[in-house]
Amino acid sequence: MKSFLNVEDLGNLKEALREAAEIKADRFKYDTLGKNKTLLMVFFNNSLRTRLSTQKAAMNLGMNVIVLDVNAGAWKLETERGVVMDGDKSEHLLEAIPVMGSYCDVIGIRSFAGLTDREYDYAETVYHQFLRYSGKPVFAMETATVHPLQAFADLITINEQTPSNSPLKGARGKGQGAREDQLSEQSSCSLPPAPCPSIKKEVWRGSVPKVVLTWAPHPRSLPQAVPNSFAQWMLAADVDFVITHPEGYELDPKFTQGARIEYDQRKAFEGADFIYAKNWSCPGVTRPEDYGKILHDYHQMMHWTVDAEHMSWTNNAHFMHCLPVRRGMIVTDDVIEAPSSLVIPEAANREISATVVLKHILQSL
Ligand code: AN0
Ligand code: CP
């Protein structure tokens, strides 16, 4: 694998989920695969989970790791071609990339959407420059439009909560029979108030779990990368997938083709087994002129915050969020701290998703 942006890049999803389970059972199983190989992680934006989990994944595989925070110690980089560099940017990305590539074997990039130029963001311009000019395999650690390491970890987490012979186990197109079953093998933990999963007694109402992606309010303009990838990966797995958001926040159909959109949040939540909350700014699909904007003052949108009443509309759903999350905006304290909240296991599974992805890349070097 020379590039990791989309779910198809990983190949067979059922096999990837099997590999994730294998790595989770023994995360050092391939600890010599990365010997004398160097991962360079390049961060243009902040991160807690991605930097820690991806470095840990690389160490699981025996790799060496270099981390570059571009905005904390490196020269300020120009990303556009054809500009006269008379401002505060001392170096051009087009020299910096091949230089970076000369010190490593694999490159991970975090480069969020600028949210001003939709065409530039949705072309994944920065990512493709790294791919083209580094000469090395590149993977996304949240780029302008996608966050596949997160979506893969989310799918692993949902899969872990799924009855053993549910169709989700096979992912889309594999045609396993559907069966409602009691969940088993869930570990319980007892360290409140940190959120942790409890034994789930409920079964799916349908033959596959109902997974709902819900928009929730936020005071800042956020990218669409997380919901884009979540939609793409859920649609590649066999789940009943519904997206709910206020009008104007329609995600790019490139990522959501085939998903049901339900503007009534309560209707969307009914019967849900998983509630995945996330804020995103206007994707500019139905309102191109509003790309990257917050469409309504968040004070008027607080009825979208996921609270206990929202969760009462569901089928005892698990709450999910990629983190970092703003309590009181996206979700209330009681919901995120409830035993059914999966936010910590999701974050922990970032180490697993990154280990599988780096393993694929190392195997193709
Ligand atoms: C980022 C986003 O919404 O894309 C990163 C999430 C993993 N979140 C914030 O900037 C708060
Ligand atoms: N979920 C996630 O990617 O978190 P960070 O932004 O902290 O890496």
Side-chain angles (χ1 to χ4, degrees), residues 39 51 102 180 185 212 217 252-253 262 293 346:
L39 167 66
R51 70 173 63 232
S102 73
E180 294 186 358
E185 296 171 31
V212 178
D252 194 310
E262 171 55 69
K293 290 189 184 152
E346 268 180 276

Side-chain angles (χ1 to χ4, degrees), residues 249-269:
Y249 285 102
E250 292 76 16
L251 293 163
D252 194 310
K254 176 177 157 196
F255 299 103
T256 61
Q257 205 97 63
R260 272 190 292 143
I261 314 285
E262 171 55 69
Y263 293 106
D264 181 333
Q265 195 188 23
R266 182 175 183 144
K267 269 197 198 148
F269 273 45

Side-chain angles (χ1 to χ4, degrees), residues 70-335:
V70 173
N71 299 320
W75 302 108
K76 248 182 172 256
L77 294 177
E78 176 59 65
T79 55
E80 306 283 339
R81 271 194 83 243
V83 293
V84 176
M85 288 170 56
D86 58 356
D88 60 342
K89 293 173 178 166
S90 310
E91 178 156 23
H92 203 286
L93 200 60
L94 295 178
E95 283 78 57
I97 292 172
V99 170
M100 293 184 218
S102 73
Y103 303 137
C104 64
D105 302 284
V106 182
I107 303 182
I109 315 286
R110 168 158 288 203
S111 174
F112 289 176
L115 296 176
T116 51
D117 182 342
R118 186 177 201 281
E119 213 176 305
Y120 182 88
D121 288 345
Y122 272 71
E124 286 288 0
T125 311
V126 172
Y127 182 87
H128 283 111
Q129 284 177 335
F130 270 91
L131 200 55
R132 183 163 173 197
Y133 298 113
S134 71
K136 299 291 150 82
V138 176
F139 64 96
M141 302 194 300
E142 187 171 338
T143 55
T145 65
V146 289
H147 196 0
L149 288 172
Q150 181 65 51
F152 185 21
D154 296 332
L155 180 60
I156 293 168
T157 309
I158 290 170
N159 193 45
E160 286 172 347
Q161 305 294 323
T162 300
S164 59
N165 53 354
S166 149
L168 177 59
K169 285 285 181 190
R172 172 153 291 188
K174 296 295 162 223
Q176 282 79 1
R179 192 184 121 192
E180 294 186 358
D181 202 356
Q182 287 284 338
L183 282 164
S184 58
E185 296 171 31
Q186 301 304 319
S187 60
S188 61
C189 43
S190 54
L191 291 171
C196 58
S198 66
I199 298 168
K200 183 172 169 168
K201 303 289 183 198
E202 292 297 314
V203 294
W204 318 137
R205 269 191 200 152
S207 57
V208 294
K210 179 174 177 181
V211 179
V212 178
L213 167 63
T214 183
W215 182 94
H218 196 281
R220 304 248 167 96
S221 244
L222 295 188
Q224 297 102 41
V226 170
N228 282 346
S229 284
F230 187 71
Q232 186 187 62
W233 286 67
M234 287 304 114
L235 290 165
D238 265 341
V239 299
D240 175 17
F241 185 54
V242 179
I243 305 175
T244 184
H245 54 72
E247 281 186 41
Y249 285 102
E250 292 76 16
L251 293 163
D252 194 310
K254 176 177 157 196
F255 299 103
T256 61
Q257 205 97 63
R260 272 190 292 143
I261 314 285
E262 171 55 69
Y263 293 106
D264 181 333
Q265 195 188 23
R266 182 175 183 144
K267 269 197 198 148
F269 273 45
E270 280 167 10
D273 300 294
F274 295 89
I275 296 296
Y276 193 96
K278 183 72 183 83
N279 172 267
W280 62 91
S281 62
C282 176
V285 172
T286 49
R287 302 175 188 234
E289 67 283 7
D290 286 337
Y291 175 61
K293 290 189 184 152
I294 296 175
L295 297 177
H296 318 276
D297 186 306
Y298 71 81
H299 294 98
Q300 275 134 47
M301 304 308 285
M302 298 303 277
H303 54 288
W304 281 80
T305 302
V306 180
D307 63 10
E309 194 199 335
H310 285 69
M311 294 305 280
S312 76
W313 303 332
T314 70
N315 178 32
N316 268 328
H318 290 283
F319 176 80
M320 299 180 74
H321 189 281
C322 64
L323 305 181
V325 72
R326 289 189 185 228
R327 291 180 175 214
M329 294 283 325
I330 302 281
V331 60
T332 53
D333 296 283
D334 51 341
V335 169

